[in-house]
Amino acid sequence: MRKSTLLAALAAGLLASAAMPAQAAFFNRIATFPVALNTPDIEAEENSAEIITATEDGMTLVYSNAVLGGIGFIDITDPANPQPGGFVELDGGPTSVSVIGGKALVSVDTTDDFTAPTGYLAVVDIATMEVDSTCDLGGQPDAIAKNADGSLIAISMENQRDEDFNDGVIPQLPSGNVTFLDVTEGTPDCGSLRVTELAGLADVAGDDAEPEYTDFNSANELVVTLQENNHIVIISGDTGEVISHFPAGSTDLSGIDTEEDGQLSFTGSQEARLREPDAVQWLDDDRLVIANEGDYEGGSRGFTIFNKDGTELYESGVSMEYIAAQLGHYPEGRSDAKGVEPEGMEVGFWDDETLIFVNQERSSLVAVYRDTGGEPEYLQSMPSGVGPEGALAIPSRNLYVTANETDLSADGLAPAHVMIFERQDVDAPDYPQIMSAMNDDGTPIGWVALSGLVADADEAGKLYAVNDSFLSIMPTIYTIDATQTPAMITEATLVTRNGAAAEALDLEGIMLDGEGGFWLANEGNADNGIDHKLIHVGADGAIMDEVMFPEALLANQVRFGSEGVSSVGTGDDMVLWIAIQREWGDDEAGMTKLVSYTPSTGAWGAVNYPLETPAEGAWVGLSEITIHGDYAYIVERDNQIAANAQLKKLYRVPVAELAGAEIGGELPVVTKEEVRDFIPDLLELNGYVLDKVEGFAIDADGIGWVVTDNDGVDDSSGETNFWSIGAVE
């Protein structure tokens, strides 16, 4: 058994992949397809794309959509410009789809009673988009696999448990099995249906086998994961007999975050953590790889390679967790559960290279490895939509595709998407645009939710950022080296109060104090006991002073407060200017405030800033203020994402107009001028438009830098965009 314990070496591999190795090939996202485009005539709050495959020519994608009860088609003749290909409604919830010849074979769940599961196989003619025939499967199906020549399919009949009964713990009969059907010219022969029983094999609830995922090798052997049973079974496709079976085993995890507590702390451990694998793929006729998603007892946060005789060959351990943390994708909200939660998996064969793709449901990343026959070589991580489930490699077209099942559009967030990546001969991947280094102890500098940005006064390309309240007991100032590609977070300085991490903060802005420390803008929320205030900290992050907003301002407070802070002047003449996100109680509709504070005198003032008119159902507010030269540069955005996003822009206001009047009286209205539309920048990586452009800074060379807030990966893809807009006049 080989076990990966050299985390520093793996981190070095991550850095090396970003450091432009010679003759490199990386995957870059070339298109994003919202699956709702396939179902415009179906009234539904949600959509989904789960299991995905392609026609044999690789020109059409086919995906299952259990939410709407059907399968969708996407024309990728031009993969950079995918087009809607139609939708076929089915009676029930499709669980998987495969294509043989001109037919799409779809397993469909029609279960109403968990104790009497039902389902069928639908045969859909791709040309006519009609259901040709169906086969009763006698239970609840999950995954479909086809063998190498398309003459045989295997369906894992999960007969899944009722998760509301007995806390979802098995056994809950009936047990599952694997069902085989012969196939002729893409059409299964229902009369050839034969069943391989799996009960009695596993040590964990063996009388209730729950098969999950399946895959054939070229020797016509089928590997099956029994996720809840923590077991792996290998079956002869020729005879239907069980060739071998063995436990998926467990892993000792150390140096992981095990508490959902508002901080990234890689100090916990989980001993003998059951793997409970979901997806499984053959690497060759002797080796297989599993994605250890976990269920109610386990989830070991990585992937494992086995020989088909059950010998463990490689264990990834906590390495994917650390990579996700370096990329700002670590899901703190899942720390007490299964972390990044590897679920979907694919193996693709590129000429003389075998690549392993591991979809991480909770971090919304795809980790890519090269199979070496021993320890896999980490190549890169690709950003996917929220909850990547389906995984598909199309080596003949140099493509990799993810189906992202999570649809949050009903809450004004990202809808379900299919994303297409192309393997390109480039020196480095487009993503990440920002990442973090490792600490001296071998753990990553964890970060998420960057919400404010400022540049060092003297060193070009050196920036500082803060996180917001998502990390509620880890308010942090991050030092960024933007001269590297990707930009590198090199240091994290905790904001402290009386020697301990400062709590009840929601940091949204940061500026230099001219003496080595910082002023921070804190966005208040009276309902949560968070004050609207300014915070003065030293270079070490220790709070020296906390300045509450004046009563004249707080009398009309609302939730949406400080979103940036900058200054005019130095020393006793320094005046701080704070951007207030949206209208407060005393503001006219469409008007918010820029608030001034003079530290030397304690004086407050304000001017009005006119907001753009939002689209119906949206709001518009400010995200940042940066004063440079004769202008105050202000980020203004709506709260919309993806196709609904209309406004993500940079404006400027003459500093000469920043003359704060008495709060509570009539305020002067500043004039503004558009500088840049950020939406084209946000589309550069061929994803959907992210909603939160949160930070903007101008460095010592006059170069403008922009960063987005990824909301701490909760209900978010976790993707952070960080880029330069070049010289700012």
Side-chain angles (χ1 to χ4, degrees):
M1 178 179 70
R2 298 185 62 197
K3 188 169 286 189
S4 173
T5 57
L6 302 177
L7 297 175
L10 190 138
L14 178 66
L15 293 173
S17 73
M20 302 189 298
Q23 298 179 340
F26 294 98
F27 287 90
N28 285 320
R29 185 170 52 204
I30 59 171
T32 294
F33 180 85
V35 297
L37 292 180
N38 259 335
T39 55
D41 298 327
I42 299 177
E43 292 186 10
E45 289 190 349
E46 295 182 31
N47 240 292
S48 187
E50 295 164 88
I51 304 304
I52 194 160
T53 189
T55 53
E56 293 177 354
D57 62 2
M59 295 295 177
T60 302
L61 300 175
V62 189
Y63 62 89
S64 63
N65 184 335
V67 172
L68 296 188
I71 59 172
F73 297 82
I74 305 172
D75 180 355
I76 59 167
T77 303
D78 177 0
N81 186 28
Q83 296 297 312
F87 190 79
V88 176
E89 293 187 69
L90 299 167
D91 181 16
T95 60
S96 187
V97 60
S98 186
V99 169
I100 301 178
K103 310 294 184 182
L105 311 182
V106 191
S107 54
V108 185
D109 179 13
T110 56
T111 300
D112 291 323
D113 180 353
F114 286 102
T115 65
T118 59
Y120 68 95
L121 180 71
V123 181
V124 178
D125 185 281
I126 295 172
T128 65
M129 299 185 69
E130 298 287 341
V131 177
D132 278 355
S133 61
T134 62
C135 297
D136 183 7
L137 295 174
Q140 180 264 320
D142 194 344
I144 298 177
K146 64 179 179 180
N147 69 349
D149 64 6
S151 63
L152 180 69
I153 61 169
I155 304 172
S156 57
M157 303 297 297
E158 186 176 9
N159 293 338
Q160 66 186 20
R161 68 194 189 282
D162 181 354
E163 295 188 19
D164 294 327
F165 175 76
N166 195 29
D167 293 327
V169 177
I170 59 173
Q172 290 185 29
L173 298 179
S175 177
N177 59 64
V178 171
T179 294
F180 293 92
L181 293 98
D182 295 329
V183 179
T184 302
E185 296 182 353
T187 299
D189 176 4
C190 298
S192 70
L193 187 149
R194 50 199 183 275
V195 173
T196 297
E197 296 293 348
L198 301 176
L201 300 180
D203 295 331
V204 177
D207 57 339
D208 181 16
E210 293 208 9
E212 192 79 24
Y213 212 93
T214 57
D215 191 40
F216 276 104
N217 64 12
S218 65
N220 220 29
E221 296 169 334
L222 183 80
V223 61
V224 187
T225 55
L226 278 58
Q227 184 171 15
E228 290 79 8
N229 311 94
N230 196 44
H231 210 72
I232 297 169
V233 180
I234 297 173
I235 304 170
S236 168
D238 296 326
T239 67
E241 296 179 353
V242 174
I243 300 171
S244 66
H245 64 93
F246 50 90
S250 63
T251 307
D252 292 332
L253 300 175
S254 61
I256 60 172
D257 193 341
T258 58
E259 300 291 335
E260 182 187 352
D261 56 3
Q263 64 179 325
L264 301 179
S265 177
F266 300 98
T267 58
S269 62
Q270 292 175 337
E271 295 182 359
R273 184 74 168 176
L274 296 181
R275 293 187 171 107
E276 295 185 344
D278 187 350
V280 61
Q281 293 280 285
W282 289 99
L283 288 169
D284 51 38
D285 285 346
D286 296 311
R287 296 176 302 137
L288 55 97
V289 56
I290 56 173
N292 301 319
E293 179 194 20
D295 204 283
Y296 62 93
E297 291 288 344
S300 60
R301 309 187 181 209
F303 67 97
T304 312
I305 298 175
F306 284 99
N307 189 284
K308 66 182 179 183
D309 66 5
T311 303
E312 183 180 323
L313 303 175
Y314 170 78
E315 165 58 45
S316 70
V318 303
S319 57
M320 288 202 306
E321 297 264 292
Y322 283 12
I323 293 169
Q326 286 186 272
L327 302 184
H329 280 254
Y330 180 76
E332 155 61 13
R334 299 293 295 176
S335 289
D336 60 345
K338 296 173 284 186
V340 298
E341 204 164 316
E343 181 178 17
M345 173 175 279
E346 174 74 309
V347 169
F349 302 96
W350 261 264
D351 297 327
D352 59 349
E353 290 185 295
T354 299
L355 302 183
I356 303 167
F357 303 85
V358 187
N359 287 10
Q360 300 163 27
E361 180 180 7
R362 301 297 179 173
S363 68
S364 295
L365 286 171
V366 180
V368 187
Y369 298 81
R370 180 184 290 114
D371 176 33
T372 66
E375 180 171 341
E377 177 189 358
Y378 173 76
L379 299 178
Q380 68 175 115
S381 289
M382 301 182 292
S384 192
V386 184
E389 168 94 2
L392 174 67
I394 311 177
S396 63
R397 302 194 67 197
N398 259 349
L399 300 178
Y400 179 75
V401 181
T402 61
N404 305 287
E405 64 174 334
T406 305
D407 190 314
L408 303 170
S409 54
D411 297 323
L413 301 172
H417 284 77
V418 166
M419 291 189 173
I420 303 172
F421 303 82
E422 182 179 58
R423 198 177 195 203
Q424 302 171 343
D425 292 327
V426 292
D427 291 331
D430 294 338
Y431 194 86
Q433 295 179 317
I434 185 170
M435 59 177 289
S436 68
M438 299 290 282
N439 291 306
D440 292 339
D441 64 359
T443 61
I445 297 175
W447 64 278
V448 293
L450 301 183
S451 58
L453 199 64
V454 70
D456 188 85
D458 302 312
E459 188 175 341
K462 185 175 183 180
L463 309 169
Y464 306 94
V466 289
N467 58 15
D468 66 20
S469 60
F470 182 84
L471 296 180
S472 58
I473 61 172
M474 187 182 157
T476 302
I477 299 169
Y478 298 98
T479 303
I480 302 170
D481 180 0
T483 66
Q484 300 187 46
T485 303
M488 187 65 60
I489 295 175
T490 59
E491 186 178 352
T493 302
L494 188 67
V495 176
T496 60
R497 183 187 290 117
N498 299 323
E503 298 187 27
L505 298 184
D506 185 5
L507 303 181
E508 294 287 347
I510 178 172
M511 59 163 277
L512 309 178
D513 70 354
E515 299 176 350
F518 302 92
W519 281 98
L520 309 176
N522 192 69
E523 183 175 27
N525 184 343
D527 293 339
N528 292 340
I530 301 176
D531 297 323
H532 293 282
K533 61 187 174 184
L534 292 167
I535 303 167
H536 194 192
V537 303
D540 62 355
I543 294 177
M544 299 184 292
D545 193 15
E546 299 184 63
V547 181
M548 296 288 294
F549 278 13
E551 286 302 319
L553 191 58
L554 293 175
N556 294 286
Q557 68 176 295
V558 298
R559 163 71 179 86
F560 302 97
S562 304
E563 282 290 326
V565 61
S566 194
S567 66
V568 176
T570 59
D572 288 346
D573 295 327
M574 177 183 283
V575 179
L576 279 56
W577 282 92
I578 308 137
I580 303 300
Q581 187 180 61
R582 293 169 59 184
E583 302 98 329
W584 279 25
D586 57 340
D587 291 318
E588 297 179 15
M591 199 73 71
T592 189
K593 294 184 183 74
L594 304 178
V595 174
S596 66
Y597 171 69
T598 305
S600 63
T601 65
W604 292 85
V607 297
N608 273 149
Y609 177 96
L611 296 166
E612 296 297 295
T613 302
E616 184 177 355
W619 56 255
V620 165
L622 307 186
S623 283
E624 180 70 284
I625 181 170
T626 299
I627 297 174
H628 177 77
D630 294 332
Y631 294 96
Y633 293 84
I634 294 172
V635 175
E636 188 174 348
R637 66 171 180 88
D638 60 18
N639 65 328
Q640 302 298 295
I641 195 168
N644 292 329
Q646 301 290 317
L647 177 68
K648 319 288 179 186
K649 289 184 177 181
L650 182 68
Y651 294 89
R652 67 181 187 182
V653 170
V655 169
E657 296 186 15
L658 297 182
E662 182 180 355
I663 295 171
E666 185 175 351
L667 302 180
V669 179
V670 298
T671 59
K672 67 181 187 180
E673 174 187 7
E674 182 179 327
V675 176
R676 189 179 184 94
D677 184 354
F678 288 137
I679 287 182
D681 299 322
L682 293 165
L683 290 170
E684 279 291 314
L685 297 184
N686 298 308
Y688 49 75
V689 175
L690 302 178
D691 56 334
K692 292 188 176 180
V693 180
E694 288 275 306
F696 176 73
I698 302 172
D699 73 9
D701 279 352
I703 303 299
W705 298 92
V706 192
V707 71
T708 60
D709 175 357
N710 71 0
D711 275 335
V713 200
D714 263 14
D715 292 340
S716 162
S717 68
E719 190 168 333
T720 296
N721 291 170
F722 179 89
W723 74 98
S724 167
I725 65 169
V728 178
E729 296 181 0

